[in-house]
Amino acid sequence: MTASQQTDDILMTARLDSPTRRPSRAVTVGRVVIGGRAPIVVQSMTNTDTANIEATVRQVAQLAQAGSELVRITVNSEAAAGAVASIRDRLDARGIDVPLIGDFHFNGHKLLSGHPECAQALAKYRINPGNVGRGKKRDEQYATMIETACRYDKPVRIGVNWGSLDQELVVRLMDENRQCAEPADSSAIIHQAMVSSALENAARAEQLGLGRDKIILSVKMSGVQDLISVYRSLAGQCDYALHLGLTEAGMGARGMVASSAALAVLLQQGIGDTIRVSLTPEPGGNRSQEVIVAQEILQSMGLRSFTPSVIACPGCGRTSSEYFQKLAQDIQQYLRGQMPQWHNRYPGVENMTVAVMGCVVNGPGESKHANIGISLPGTGERPVAPVYIDGEKTVTLKGERIAEEFQQLVNDYVQSTYG
């Protein structure tokens, strides 16, 4: 056995098995399938005033361009409900067929009843059972929304959120818990209430005529361990399609890390059919960041591929120049920017790996493992950059146009390999 074969065997042994998805009902949302054997779907949500048609269309288009396969919009007023059909028409006119989800709280029963064009234009409704109403009024208002979904043949996400949990249910479970010989702590009761709310409202929706293949559930919390716990419990008690997301994840690194930590554990256990990363954007920040993070979670875990992966070293005392950092950044941005055109033209290109390395220590090795890689010179090394294609050294670049020449080599590789 050669050294190369031994290395391959070690890598294969060390690789984790891909998670086996839990069986779930497939739900069709517009042109997108959630659950069943379908790939895990990435979705996001606008933060525009939906009544502002132009701004909402623009942001939906940006999110769809970034790769969001479903986009949720707020429907909270008569003006917002009245704008939905126009938003759908304008998106269709631009060739953007991403399904729109209506997010309803408090007055959804009135808006769906009073604006049939809105009810028809949306591909799915999101209902928060904690914000539907109280007592008898709650039952009537919930029934109105489910019956509207049945009338227009629309799926529904029953989205429980611990920030707006049904307090009547919580009180009932707390009272029952106090009667137990060994009462559970309050956090366990909240977890139980989250799962019970989702399942009880799903059962009620079925009683009202909504099919199991029209129901998606979510039980969102803002604590990583809380989220893992409730979704494990929910997944063990039903076969509904599940939407995953850490609610109120936060800004920047905190939000990305917390969402990744929670979702990765659940996804590795086969739980989850669609995900959203709920990042708080910085003032004036790009809303599409949450789409990219969701894609990176799935791609890093080997569950889906969205764009070619760029492998780059972190840098050390051997790489005092920032040249390789800039090249890695430019290549990554370039590849992601090309994907809308490459996706259909070059099938399979999303699985490509590109290595941009900063010195001789790991540069040649990583470059050989990638589809195409470049090993830039570190401090004190000869000012040349060997390029490897499919494991073989093909050319050595030098001079001031290394970046441009390497990008052209990447383009040539894409055309010759995936064309």
Side-chain angles (χ1 to χ4, degrees), residues 22-78:
R22 116 193 201 285
S24 64
R25 301 269 177 165
V27 180
T28 301
V29 182
R31 58 178 176 77
V32 176
V33 177
I34 296 174
R37 297 180 180 273
I40 297 168
V41 173
V42 171
Q43 61 178 281
S44 58
M45 184 176 184
T46 60
N47 61 357
T48 58
D49 178 357
T50 304
N52 186 333
I53 295 174
E54 183 178 344
T56 302
V57 169
R58 182 166 57 247
Q59 192 172 83
V60 170
Q62 290 170 348
L63 292 169
Q65 176 83 1
S68 185
E69 294 158 305
L70 302 172
V71 177
R72 183 157 42 115
I73 59 176
T74 298
V75 187
N76 61 337
S77 66
E78 297 287 341

Side-chain angles (χ1 to χ4, degrees), residues 158-350:
I158 298 171
V160 181
N161 192 304
W162 79 330
S164 51
L165 189 53
D166 182 351
Q167 291 305 300
E168 293 178 8
L169 173 61
V170 173
V171 169
R172 187 188 85 203
L173 293 177
M174 288 289 187
D175 287 343
E176 292 174 359
N177 183 55
R178 279 192 287 270
Q179 306 303 317
C180 295
E182 296 182 9
D185 62 33
S186 59
S187 64
I189 300 305
I190 294 298
H191 290 187
Q192 181 185 352
M194 294 285 293
V195 174
S196 295
S197 179
L199 294 176
E200 289 178 10
N201 281 284
R204 175 64 175 147
E206 287 196 58
Q207 291 170 3
L208 291 165
L210 193 65
R212 293 180 72 82
D213 62 344
K214 296 291 184 182
I215 298 174
I216 299 170
L217 300 184
S218 66
V219 281
K220 292 191 175 183
M221 305 187 79
S222 58
V224 171
Q225 297 297 342
D226 292 313
L227 192 83
I228 293 170
S229 176
V230 294
Y231 270 103
R232 279 175 173 168
S233 177
L234 179 62
Q237 299 181 53
C238 72
D239 66 349
Y240 295 111
L242 300 183
H243 167 98
L244 300 187
L246 187 74
T247 191
E248 287 87 46
M251 298 181 69
R254 192 274 173 191
M256 295 181 199
V257 171
S259 291
S260 299
L263 269 57
V265 171
L266 292 167
L267 292 168
Q268 186 63 32
Q269 295 176 358
I271 298 171
D273 301 293
T274 176
I275 67 171
R276 182 197 172 197
V277 175
S278 301
L279 297 179
T280 304
E282 296 180 359
N286 190 342
R287 188 70 165 180
S288 300
Q289 181 69 20
E290 67 176 45
V291 179
I292 295 171
V293 174
Q295 290 180 333
E296 290 292 349
I297 291 171
L298 295 176
Q299 184 150 338
S300 296
M301 296 186 68
L303 296 173
R304 286 190 69 182
S305 294
F306 297 94
T307 188
S309 298
V310 176
I311 300 165
C313 63
C316 65
R318 291 175 176 269
T319 57
S320 54
S321 168
E322 295 181 352
Y323 190 83
F324 87 94
Q325 300 167 4
K326 180 69 165 56
L327 179 57
Q329 181 183 53
D330 289 348
I331 287 293
Q332 183 162 282
Q333 291 176 348
Y334 175 75
L335 293 173
R336 185 169 284 279
Q338 292 301 305
M339 279 308 295
Q341 292 77 40
W342 284 359
H343 181 71
N344 294 321
R345 188 175 180 184
Y346 301 116
V349 69
E350 64 274 8

